[in-house]
Amino acid sequence: MLAIVTDSTCGLTRQEAAELGVDVLHMTYEADFKRHEEGFVGENGDYGAVLAASRHVSTEAVRSSAFEHVFRTRLAAGDDVLCATISSRLSGTYRSAEEAAAAVASPRVAVVDSWLTAGALEFLVRRARALADSGAELSQIVDELTEQRAGTRIVFSVPDMVALSRSGRLGAIRRAVATKLNRYPVMALSEGGIVKLADGRGARGMAHAMVDRVPADATELLVSHFGPRGVEAREVFLAAQQQRLPPSGAPNQEITSTSPGRMSLRPSCRR
């Protein structure tokens, strides 16, 4: 059997993780030097208000000892282990998983840098489970995920660039990106790193700029939001529905509310 291990940025609920047989290791963050553990989707309380009210915010990768404990436990149970983590260019979590795999030193453990996070990392985790259930070997699953990550894209925006600027995750674009009045920077992950795509004027302009970047042959679109659902999430959903799906009521259109903070849109005619 294949044991799948990931981190809490994957965006799974507790029930979804249990159904998929996924071990989710929790990231942590500090707000005004008080440590918080990131839980499953829907179990983090009003973290947005906590972060907004804090003068000092920092994040902490999953520790290698946590990965090593899970790897050894799953190996002892007779499982192969696949670990897929948040992009190595966004967090040290991948490095921790690699260190744990080196400590365990088993050919039955594989670690994949997803280049992704959030809903896109969830896609990879779900794909890994589907492949395992179909009988694929560990090496085949690693090859498939490595290929799929290049065809899975995250496009995102934030209303305030302060946290990203302070985090250092903007890399070479950090000086070129700034929050402007009623302007939303639209960004993407490219091989795991943040790149800027455009600016959207207002929530609606941002939404259309994001959806314009969805490839025409995309087979599934997941709209995720973090914090209280505001006008931005609604505009993204509406733009996606209008621009990338068949007209409302047309055959082969699936719109599913998957969990708090997520909406899945699947034009199944494009499989």
Side-chain angles (χ1 to χ4, degrees):
M1 183 175 174
L2 180 71
I4 301 175
V5 182
T6 189
D7 59 74
S8 55
T9 70
C10 69
L12 292 172
T13 65
R14 184 183 296 273
Q15 180 178 344
E16 288 170 334
E19 291 172 350
L20 291 168
V22 175
D23 288 304
V24 177
L25 301 188
H26 300 287
M27 308 275 276
T28 57
Y29 64 93
E30 283 191 0
D32 284 345
F33 305 101
K34 182 178 180 181
R35 198 164 180 263
H36 302 262
E37 184 176 89
E38 181 180 50
F40 292 96
V41 167
E43 298 183 15
N44 289 292
D46 193 2
Y47 64 90
V50 172
L51 296 176
S54 301
R55 294 183 178 180
H56 171 83
V57 175
S58 63
T59 59
E60 182 180 301
V62 179
R63 296 181 180 179
S64 58
S65 58
F67 280 117
E68 183 177 346
H69 173 74
V70 174
F71 292 173
R72 292 190 184 279
T73 299
R74 291 303 187 182
L75 287 172
D79 298 329
D80 289 343
V81 180
L82 173 74
C83 178
T85 73
I86 181 176
S87 168
S88 62
R89 294 175 67 181
L90 300 179
S91 169
T93 295
Y94 172 73
R95 183 172 64 250
S96 294
E98 284 273 83
E99 291 173 352
V104 170
S106 170
R108 292 164 50 209
V109 176
V111 179
V112 175
D113 178 358
S114 72
W115 288 359
L116 305 165
T117 187
L121 177 54
E122 177 189 343
F123 278 162
L124 250 60
V125 168
R126 289 185 179 275
R127 180 59 177 160
R129 175 51 67 207
L131 288 167
D133 289 347
S134 70
E137 300 291 332
L138 179 60
S139 60
Q140 294 174 310
I141 296 172
V142 170
D143 290 343
E144 173 76 16
L145 295 192
T146 301
E147 180 178 350
Q148 183 172 337
R149 71 183 182 182
T152 303
R153 192 175 196 191
I154 288 182
V155 179
F156 68 99
S157 184
V158 294
D160 189 334
M161 293 296 298
V162 173
L164 271 179
S165 297
R166 290 177 177 173
S167 72
R169 291 179 174 87
L170 291 179
I173 68 169
R174 64 184 180 274
R175 293 185 180 88
V177 178
T179 303
K180 301 176 183 177
L181 183 62
N182 203 32
R183 290 293 186 105
Y184 290 80
V186 175
M187 295 165 281
L189 292 185
S190 176
E191 297 187 358
I194 297 174
V195 295
K196 186 183 177 185
L197 302 177
D199 282 311
R201 183 180 294 277
R204 183 165 299 179
M206 171 271 293
H208 285 279
M210 290 176 68
V211 175
D212 283 346
R213 269 67 184 181
V214 178
D217 60 350
T219 56
E220 189 167 359
L221 175 64
L222 186 68
V223 179
S224 302
H225 70 89
F226 298 90
R229 179 178 293 182
V231 66
E232 294 89 353
R234 178 177 180 275
E235 290 293 348
V236 172
F237 175 73
L238 290 175
Q241 190 176 22
Q242 293 165 4
Q243 295 177 228
R244 294 301 180 188
L245 292 182
S248 180
N252 298 322
Q253 177 176 323
E254 301 174 27
I255 303 175
T256 308
S257 180
T258 54
S259 72
R262 294 211 309 262
M263 189 72 73
S264 179
L265 299 93
R266 183 182 298 109
S268 54
C269 57
R270 295 181 180 172
R271 292 195 180 283

